Amino acid sequence: MVFIFGEEMKKGVGRFIAGRVSTILDNSISPSTLRFYSSHSPPSSSSKLFVAGLSWSVDEKSLKDAFSSFGNVSEVRIMYDKETGRSRGFGFVHFSNENEAMSAKDAMDGKALLGRPLRVSFALEKVRGVPVIVPRLPHT
């Protein structure tokens, strides 16, 4: 087994990522259809937040109440398991505008709701048939 550290590891990771992207591009997907997202800033015109780390006891009303102090919440959806009916621990909160979503994300990310810390980020667009590349950025 060989371990690679430092600059050699960065170069290897870069070649791996470049190889994956070129493989995607070689499979006749145009570069213009690739989308790159980061949870640190909103995708273009996003007022939809992804909320993870929800307690099983959180329902749509309590989630809406937790976020409504930041602006007009137009929709709340919690994802449930089809077989058990139990919450899958994440959901989405839609705001009427981007500024409200940004302030809610900044204020609620890491805050506890019913004893569990929330992880809040901007939701990715649902894209069918096109790969979405989501880079993992270090926390600053």
Side-chain angles (χ1 to χ4, degrees):
M1 182 175 285
V2 177
F3 293 97
I4 302 172
F5 297 99
E7 288 302 314
E8 287 301 315
M9 185 170 83
K10 289 179 187 175
K11 289 177 189 173
V13 169
R15 283 191 299 267
F16 172 76
I17 291 171
R20 299 289 292 179
V21 170
S22 67
T23 301
I24 290 169
L25 296 178
D26 290 343
N27 289 332
S28 73
I29 297 174
S30 91
S32 63
T33 61
L34 292 176
R35 297 172 192 249
F36 294 88
Y37 292 111
S38 164
S39 64
H40 297 290
S41 62
S44 59
S45 71
S46 178
S47 57
K48 180 179 178 183
L49 298 178
F50 170 76
V51 183
L54 296 176
S55 166
W56 287 337
S57 60
V58 172
D59 60 3
E60 280 83 0
K61 183 185 179 327
S62 59
L63 189 57
K64 183 174 183 173
D65 291 345
F67 281 84
S68 62
S69 63
F70 302 100
N72 181 30
V73 176
S74 58
E75 182 183 355
V76 173
R77 293 192 66 197
I78 295 177
M79 302 288 99
Y80 294 95
D81 185 88
K82 291 178 184 177
E83 294 179 16
T84 64
R86 182 182 288 183
S87 168
R88 294 181 60 196
F90 69 94
F92 298 92
V93 178
H94 298 253
F95 282 89
S96 60
N97 69 54
E98 292 178 46
N99 293 333
E100 293 171 351
M102 177 73 81
S103 64
K105 178 199 170 297
D106 292 342
M108 294 297 286
D109 190 27
K111 296 289 193 261
L113 178 62
L114 297 178
R116 292 188 45 118
L118 299 178
R119 293 180 311 279
V120 182
S121 61
F122 289 96
L124 301 178
E125 292 179 30
K126 194 177 213 179
V127 181
R128 296 187 184 269
V130 177
V132 177
I133 300 170
V134 182
R136 301 284 183 201
L137 301 176
H139 292 287
T140 55

